Amino acid sequence: MTLHLSRPPAGALRAVLRALAPEAELSPPSATVLRHSVDRPRPLLALPVHALHGPAPRLTGADCTGWRFLLSETAPGDTAPAAPAAPGGHGDCAAGAGAQAQGGAGAAEPRGEQGREHAPLTVGEFTEDGLDGVVAAAEVVDGPAGPVFSHLTAGPFLDSTVRALRQAWQLTHGTPGRYEPRLLSLPEHYASALWLHGAQPGEDLLVPLAPAPLGVAAHQVLPAAELLARLERSPAAAARSAVVTATAVATAAQPTALIG
């Protein structure tokens, strides 16, 4: 089959539309990202963002932290297919909980600020349409009261994300499998990857994004278990483990004050 894009919570999309409204004032770093854009870009598609912590990461421990919206200056079409409920999985953060707070999974996409229409977000079957016009990404994080716009990003990491999406589409197009594209952050390894979440256990694939850590080739598609095992054996992981061990030994060797 193909890649299948989940529908983000309505609150996440609303947060991005509010930040991108013409009258909205962006922070200086975010405004710098759009300094070459004639108009405010529109959300093209959204990818759930997961974080995986620890020196020996396992996908079952991945937590959803928010959504990343790719922003485009061009529209691929006037319509987008509706997305059914996404399959459950590791740390799933598809529209479920957020949609309930916004009126249910089948709720219509929100309008732009002050009732303006916006081009429909691409959900359902993924195609390469519109990727040529991607100019930035909008980060949305989970806040105490719901999704919150964080900032805009651009540059080599965004380019690598777009390249990985094209790569994933070419890999899965016409195959019997179905994958959901997600973004996976591994802070302890200073690494990020496009996570192709399969419908069955063991089908998950990871595409390391550039810049990749030492010992890992960016854009080499690998089974998730293999890439995570490589990271666990990486020189950086070994160095961090040695530092932790040395710190623990030094702490244990410190004399304990006696209070009489």
Side-chain angles (χ1 to χ4, degrees), residues 20 40-45 70-77 119-122:
L20 293 174
R40 294 284 173 96
R42 70 171 191 88
L44 174 68
L45 58 87
L70 300 193
L71 308 179
S72 174
E73 290 185 324
T74 60
L121 195 71
T122 302

Side-chain angles (χ1 to χ4, degrees), residues 102-188:
Q102 300 294 338
E109 288 183 350
R111 290 171 177 261
E113 288 299 288
Q114 299 181 0
R116 288 191 297 272
E117 295 286 353
H118 69 87
L121 195 71
T122 302
V123 293
E125 185 174 333
F126 170 80
T127 70
E128 295 181 292
D129 293 348
L131 288 183
D132 288 338
V134 170
V135 294
E139 305 289 334
V140 174
V141 298
D142 291 332
V148 177
F149 170 77
S150 175
H151 61 280
L152 299 181
T153 61
F157 181 74
L158 175 63
D159 296 338
S160 183
T161 302
V162 171
R163 176 182 169 184
L165 282 171
R166 294 186 188 277
Q167 191 175 356
W169 182 81
Q170 293 169 0
L171 176 70
T172 61
H173 188 62
T175 65
R178 168 171 159 164
Y179 294 90
E180 177 196 359
R182 303 172 173 181
L183 289 172
L184 183 66
S185 172
L186 300 107
E188 281 78 5

Side-chain angles (χ1 to χ4, degrees), residues 6-7 24 50 57 73 84 89 108 112 128 133 135 138 147 161 163 166 179 189 195-197 203-204 219 250 256:
S6 300
R7 184 186 297 277
H50 291 71
E73 290 185 324
E128 295 181 292
V135 294
T161 302
R163 176 182 169 184
R166 294 186 188 277
Y179 294 90
H189 297 275
W195 174 8
L196 305 182
H197 174 52
E203 289 183 348
D204 296 77
H219 295 283
T256 302

